Amino acid sequence: MNHFERELRRPDCPVDRVETFRYALLFTALLGLLAHAFAFLNLHPSGDGLVAYYSDASNDGEQMALGRIMVPLYRHLTGASVSTPWTVGALALLWLGLAVFLVARLLEVREKPVLLMIAGIFVTNRTIISLTGGFFPWLGTNSCSILLSVGAVMCWRLFSREKKWCLLAAGVGLTALSLGFYQSFLPTIITLIMVRSMLDLLQRRGGGEVVVNGLFGMGMILLGGLSYYVMTTTVCRMMGVQMIAGTYNSMEVLWTNDQPILARLVDCYKLIGAKFVLDTASAYSRQVVAGVNTLLTLFSLSASLLLLRRRKVGGLETALFLVLAAGLPMGANFMRMLSGMTHDLMFFAFWLLYLVPLLLARELWKERQTFDWIRILSGVVCLCIGF
């Protein structure tokens, strides 16, 4: 057994990290190839990928001007200056597989069917499909940004348990690096922190502890954003690059966006409803997908109330859980709070909402006093998410 495996098998680990690690990579690779091998095995420049098939100095400058200062470095380090399909795809699946492993550790997932569905959520969602179809040169960089986002949340989680400031500092650094690849994976950090906090409340963690941990998470995000801003302005000044202004994805939109806050907030919820019910963009019938998503929402509400009551969760903790649940759409669509518009590449955190019914089904399944019909329903929910 090599050093890496010995480290993964440390006796204080609550799950078998080696097995989780192997299956996370395996499931991600299998599902990723089933969904995207057509793109990995063929050259098909399309969409924005037509003008970025080869990354030259002007293209690198444009990426830095948009605040994506890590993209040129990534392309040069990985040999992705030319978008060769197989290498871009293989690296993307590696980053996503590692992200799935970290999410499994974050949420204490040890069941292989649940791990399989998490891998499916990460590699077959609308954002990754859009990257593969029309933005292929950015598939690897955005997947790396997802990994860094999940890594930041994992650092936050470890800090909340061990109270080592170096872990929180690492989370700040990973947040800044993730934003340096693509700013729109910030909601991934927010959503995962919210989901983990909801799970803590269901597992009878104290409300005060959850609030304090959440405040540390907010601090990590704010310091990461500030570090990213300083890093970006410094790099652009050193490289003689003028930051792009006047567009929806320029950095100045943070202070020039004059849309009312309430209008942006309402739009967060409207967009979530639209993407899950009205504009599902699925290979299946829109009505079928909308019906399944509606059933998953109703199940999540019912299962949450049942678990809160059965586990005798306190009043403060119940209120916190409901506030977090109500705020999930805003957290997943937080880019709409910052930007004047959003699109498919900015919606990755939307699909992480499928983690909620999946985790609730798992929690119900673990209940000793759960009726057989509830266990059957939990299994049906997992099949719906897999669908």
Side-chain angles (χ1 to χ4, degrees):
M1 187 184 298
N2 59 33
H3 173 75
F4 180 64
E5 290 195 354
R6 285 198 303 272
E7 182 65 21
L8 286 176
R9 287 189 186 274
R10 280 168 46 193
D12 61 335
C13 178
V15 296
D16 189 336
R17 295 181 185 175
V18 173
E19 188 174 12
T20 303
F21 178 77
R22 288 171 176 168
Y23 276 98
L25 292 184
L26 176 63
F27 291 152
T28 302
L30 289 177
L31 294 176
L33 288 174
L34 284 173
H36 310 298
F38 76 94
F40 298 167
L41 301 176
N42 294 281
L43 182 62
H44 69 298
S46 59
D48 284 16
L50 285 168
V51 297
Y53 170 72
Y54 177 74
S55 178
D56 55 11
S58 62
N59 186 270
D60 288 345
E62 181 185 3
Q63 293 300 301
M64 287 189 286
L66 286 169
R68 304 168 191 169
I69 56 172
M70 297 301 298
V71 171
L73 179 62
Y74 174 92
R75 288 178 173 172
H76 290 295
L77 288 178
T78 62
S81 295
V82 177
S83 299
T84 50
W86 177 246
T87 54
V88 171
L91 284 173
L93 292 183
L94 174 61
W95 308 142
L96 292 174
L98 293 173
V100 170
F101 167 66
L102 291 179
V103 168
R105 284 206 57 205
L106 174 72
L107 303 176
E108 299 168 5
V109 170
R110 63 194 71 182
E111 304 87 354
K112 293 185 183 65
V114 179
L115 187 60
L116 174 66
M117 280 179 277
I118 293 175
I121 291 171
F122 267 73
V123 299
T124 62
N125 62 73
R126 186 164 169 172
T127 300
I128 299 300
I129 291 171
S130 296
L131 283 166
T132 304
F135 303 88
F136 196 78
W138 294 277
L139 176 62
T141 56
N142 284 23
S143 297
C144 190
S145 181
I146 291 170
L147 171 60
L148 293 169
S149 297
V150 177
V153 180
M154 195 64 212
C155 288
W156 163 80
R157 177 62 177 173
L158 292 173
F159 168 80
S160 68
R161 290 194 315 212
E162 301 179 16
K163 296 298 184 288
K164 294 180 179 179
W165 291 101
C166 60
L167 292 170
L168 195 64
V172 170
L174 291 176
T175 300
L177 291 175
S178 175
L179 296 173
F181 279 99
Y182 193 57
Q183 302 93 329
S184 296
F185 293 112
L186 175 64
T188 299
I189 301 176
I190 297 171
T191 303
L192 287 175
I193 288 178
M194 294 177 76
V195 170
R196 179 62 252 187
S197 299
M198 291 169 65
L199 193 58
D200 282 339
L201 292 167
L202 280 180
Q203 294 173 350
R204 302 193 55 141
R205 288 284 180 89
E209 180 184 355
V210 172
V211 169
V212 170
N213 290 338
L215 291 174
F216 276 118
M218 292 173 58
M220 180 189 75
I221 293 170
L222 290 172
L223 287 175
L226 179 61
S227 300
Y228 160 72
Y229 177 77
V230 172
M231 186 170 62
T232 300
T233 53
T234 302
V235 169
C236 287
R237 190 175 294 113
M238 289 175 57
M239 301 300 294
V241 173
Q242 179 69 36
M243 296 289 292
I244 290 178
T247 64
Y248 78 94
N249 54 358
S250 60
M251 192 175 295
E252 68 162 10
V253 76
L254 293 175
W255 52 84
T256 60
N257 189 350
D258 58 358
Q259 291 178 329
I261 296 294
L262 182 60
R264 300 187 219 175
L265 181 61
V266 170
D267 212 23
C268 286
Y269 288 84
K270 287 172 62 178
L271 274 170
I272 291 287
K275 297 304 176 185
F276 281 92
V277 178
L278 302 177
D279 179 26
T280 55
S282 170
Y284 301 104
S285 165
R286 181 184 66 81
Q287 290 80 5
V288 172
V289 178
V292 169
N293 285 333
T294 302
L295 290 174
L296 290 174
T297 302
L298 294 175
F299 167 82
S300 298
L301 293 172
S302 303
S304 297
L305 295 175
L306 179 62
L307 286 166
L308 289 168
R309 181 168 175 263
R310 178 164 290 183
R311 295 182 176 180
K312 297 185 170 108
V313 176
L316 172 62
E317 289 75 17
T318 298
L320 283 173
F321 182 92
L322 295 177
V323 168
L324 286 170
L328 271 177
M330 183 187 69
N333 198 16
F334 194 73
M335 290 308 298
R336 181 63 188 87
M337 297 295 294
L338 304 178
S339 177
M341 65 160 287
T342 52
H343 51 72
D344 282 348
L345 301 191
M346 306 165 82
F347 293 158
F348 182 80
F350 283 27
W351 324 119
L352 297 182
L353 297 182
Y354 282 117
L355 291 172
V356 175
L358 181 61
L359 294 172
L360 289 171
R362 187 191 65 165
E363 291 299 307
L364 279 178
W365 191 270
K366 292 191 303 185
E367 285 285 299
R368 292 182 180 180
Q369 299 176 345
T370 298
F371 296 114
D372 288 340
W373 68 268
I374 295 181
R375 289 182 177 240
I376 293 172
L377 178 61
S378 299
V380 171
V381 167
C382 292
L383 289 176
C384 288
I385 296 173
F387 160 84

